[in-house]
Amino acid sequence: SATAADPVTTAAEQLLKHSDTAGKEETVYVIADANGKANKVIVSEWLKNQKGSDTLKDQSNLKDVKNVKGDQDFTAQLTEIISKNPDVLYIPANFAEGAIIMRQARELGAKFSILGGDAMDNPEMVKIGGESVEGFSYTSFAYSPNMPEKLMSPIQKQFTAQWRKAFPGKDPAALTGCGYDAYLLIYNAIKNAKSTDPEKITAAIASTKDMPGVTGTTTINKTHDAEKSVGIIKIENGRQVFHAIVNPK
């Protein structure tokens, strides 16, 4: 059983403590040429107001911020795409925009398959998109609160149970587990470094190998990228169904 000193329990308590407060989700889009040179960088921010406060203060220090959301009408782009008669459309969008894109695509008569990435892995996607998201497949982290129990590690089972106890009827999003693992990564680095010195912690993070977490095991490679397993998820009968895990080689 978990104790107060257990990093899993500690991380869960910290995550749950801040999960119902105002916050911000930020996504950075980089438009690059064929050589990988960044021509344009767009930062997308979604303010969250779970408590329904009358006002929210954004403390961002970004400059030249423009609203690129518009009226969220993608019909012009979708009409052009449909005219090409594609077999598959891949949308690198977050769950809210992605759900709207899929709904508008189906309203326009699109029959092609639609695929996406981990930013779509949020239960709210199904609520927003309704029947339009049926059959949508996407890659995400190797975790889902509804994945077969036989595929769940002990830490995934513990995290899921703690979350559902704190938030009955509300499943965690994939990025919730990712935030949880980020906390554990730092915790383990400080513990392994036996120091709070930033350089020693950085070195400890870089040496992370096969760290168990909610979103699977994490290994930091030579280029400081996280090597992790990938989950394959599909929307079936209005539910996020976890199909398979693909491990890195």
Side-chain angles (χ1 to χ4, degrees), residues 155-175:
I155 191 173
Q156 290 173 328
K157 292 178 181 178
Q158 185 176 0
F159 173 81
T160 304
Q162 289 177 327
W163 179 275
R164 286 176 170 168
K165 181 179 179 181
F167 299 100
K170 180 181 179 181
D171 281 339
L175 291 180

Side-chain angles (χ1 to χ4, degrees), residues 26-32 40-46 68-69 92-94 97 119:
E26 185 173 282
T27 305
V28 178
Y29 300 90
V30 178
I31 301 176
K40 188 174 183 181
V41 177
I42 301 173
V43 179
S44 174
E45 293 185 345
W46 290 74
V68 298
K69 299 297 180 184
N94 62 40
E97 285 182 327

Side-chain angles (χ1 to χ4, degrees), residues 54-225:
D54 292 334
T55 59
L56 288 176
K57 183 178 180 180
D58 184 6
Q59 298 180 345
S60 171
N61 59 2
L62 295 174
K63 298 180 180 180
D64 301 322
V65 176
K66 298 179 181 180
N67 177 21
V68 298
K69 299 297 180 184
D71 58 3
Q72 296 188 321
D73 182 359
F74 302 97
T75 55
Q77 297 93 325
L78 288 168
T79 298
E80 181 178 357
I81 291 171
I82 292 172
S83 70
K84 307 290 185 182
N85 195 31
D87 295 317
V88 177
L89 172 66
Y90 183 88
I91 50 174
N94 62 40
F95 68 93
E97 285 182 327
I100 293 173
I101 290 171
M102 285 187 279
R103 189 175 67 224
Q104 293 177 359
R106 299 312 182 202
E107 289 174 350
L108 290 171
K111 303 297 182 183
F112 45 69
S113 298
I114 302 179
L115 307 177
D118 55 47
M120 296 291 292
D121 197 355
N122 191 305
E124 294 298 315
M125 172 186 63
V126 179
K127 296 180 181 179
I128 298 171
E131 294 182 357
S132 300
V133 303
E134 188 69 20
F136 171 65
S137 297
Y138 59 95
T139 55
S140 188
F141 300 100
Y143 167 74
S144 168
N146 301 310
M147 67 192 298
E149 188 172 347
K150 65 181 180 180
L151 295 179
M152 275 195 174
S153 66
I155 191 173
Q156 290 173 328
K157 292 178 181 178
Q158 185 176 0
F159 173 81
T160 304
Q162 289 177 327
W163 179 275
R164 286 176 170 168
K165 181 179 179 181
F167 299 100
K170 180 181 179 181
D171 281 339
L175 291 180
T176 307
C178 191
Y180 185 108
D181 287 350
Y183 179 96
L184 290 183
L185 184 70
I186 299 298
Y187 177 94
N188 287 335
I190 295 173
K191 183 179 178 180
N192 293 333
K194 297 182 175 61
S195 172
T196 56
D197 179 79
E199 292 187 1
K200 292 182 179 179
I201 294 173
T202 299
I205 291 175
S207 64
T208 298
K209 184 176 181 180
D210 297 330
M211 184 198 83
V214 174
T215 58
T217 58
T218 299
T219 294
I220 305 300
N221 63 22
K222 294 180 180 179
T223 57
H224 293 178
D225 292 310

Side-chain angles (χ1 to χ4, degrees), residues 2-16:
T3 65
D6 183 355
V8 174
T9 301
T10 303
E13 290 173 347
Q14 291 295 320
L15 187 63
L16 297 177

